[in-house]
C-alpha cells in the first residue's frame, strides 16, 4: 500500500502506426498512438504535424498544456471555495512555447494560462484574483515542470 498522500497512475500507450514494414525508414511509419486508462475513452494521439504526425489527433505538447490548464482550473475552483468566492464561469485559452535544440530534442520554455473567470458578485473579484496565486501553489502539474507557468487572469462579475 502506498504511503498516505501518495497516488499512483497507470495507463497504456500503444503504437498503432505500423504500415506493414515497421520502422524500416523515417517516412515508412505513422506516429499514431492510442492511450488507454481503464474505464475511460481511448485517446487517439500522434506526433505534432511538424514531426510527421496526424494533426487531427492529440499530441504530447497539446496534452502537457491541457494538463497544466486543467490542473490550474481544478485547483482554482478549490481555492475559490476556500475563500468564499462563487465562480459561475471559467474559460482558459492556454498557450505554450517549445524550442527545438537543433540536436533532435527540445523543451518547453513557458506556458501561459489566460483564465477568464466570472464570479457571482463584484465584491468577490479581489479574492478571486488572489485565488489564482493559491491555485498555482496547489497545482500538482505546475509544481512538476521545470519552466515558468504564467497567469494572465481576468475576473469579472
Amino acid at each position: 500500500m502506498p504511503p498516505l498522500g501518495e497516488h499512483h497512475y497507470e495507463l497504456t500507450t500503444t503504437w498503432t502506426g505500423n504500415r506493414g514494414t515497421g520502422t524500416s525508414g523515417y517516412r515508412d511509419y505513422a506516429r499514431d498512438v492510442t492511450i488507454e486508462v481503464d474505464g475511460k475513452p481511448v485517446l487517439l494521439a500522434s506526433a505534432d504535424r511538424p514531426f510527421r504526425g496526424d494533426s487531427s489527433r492529440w499530441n504530447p505538447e497539446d496534452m502537457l498544456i491541457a494538463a497544466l490548464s486543467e490542473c490550474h482550473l481544478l485547483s482554482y475552483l478549490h481555492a475559490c471555495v476556500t475563500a468564499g468566492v462563487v465562480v459561475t464561469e471559467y474559460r482558459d485559452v492556454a498557450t505554450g512555447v517549445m524550442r527545438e535544440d537543433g540536436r533532435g530534442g527540445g523543451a518547453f520554455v513557458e506556458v501561459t494560462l489566460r483564465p477568464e473567470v466570472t464570479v457571482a458578485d463584484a465584491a468577490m473579484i479581489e479574492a478571486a484574483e488572489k485565488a489564482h496565486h493559491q491555485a498555482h501553489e496547489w497545482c500538482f502539474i505546475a509544481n512538476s515542470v521545470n519552466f515558468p507557468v504564467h497567469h494572465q487572469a481576468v475576473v469579472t462579475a
Side-chain angles (χ1 to χ4, degrees), residues 106-145:
F108 270 83
V109 295
E110 68 179 350
V111 165
T112 302
L113 307 179
R114 293 177 182 82
E116 298 172 2
V117 179
T118 304
V119 296
D121 188 284
M124 299 175 177
I125 290 176
E126 185 177 346
E129 290 170 343
K130 289 180 182 176
H132 282 288
H133 176 74
Q134 182 64 63
H136 181 69
E137 296 296 316
W138 286 345
C139 176
F140 303 130
I141 308 301
N143 286 317
S144 301
V145 299

Side-chain angles (χ1 to χ4, degrees), residues 1-9 140:
M1 186 164 171
L4 184 62
E6 183 174 295
H7 306 272
H8 295 252
Y9 301 89
F140 303 130

Side-chain angles (χ1 to χ4, degrees), residues 22-101:
T23 57
S24 58
Y26 187 70
R27 297 177 187 272
D28 296 337
Y29 63 96
R31 277 60 176 175
D32 295 352
V33 171
T34 60
I35 301 170
E36 299 173 78
V37 175
D38 284 343
K40 298 179 183 179
V42 173
L43 181 64
L44 300 179
S46 186
D48 193 11
R49 186 79 178 140
F51 307 109
R52 304 197 54 80
D54 180 344
S55 61
S56 71
R57 292 174 171 233
W58 285 84
N59 64 57
E61 296 82 10
D62 293 334
M63 289 188 279
L64 177 62
I65 295 170
L68 285 162
S69 179
E70 182 184 2
C71 187
H72 184 82
L73 181 157
L74 296 171
S75 298
Y76 180 75
L77 296 178
H78 177 72
C80 284
V81 167
T82 302
V85 173
V86 177
V87 175
T88 58
E89 293 180 40
Y90 185 112
R91 181 175 188 264
D92 180 17
V93 178
T95 59
V97 177
M98 184 187 73
R99 257 188 218 127
E100 293 183 58
D101 63 13

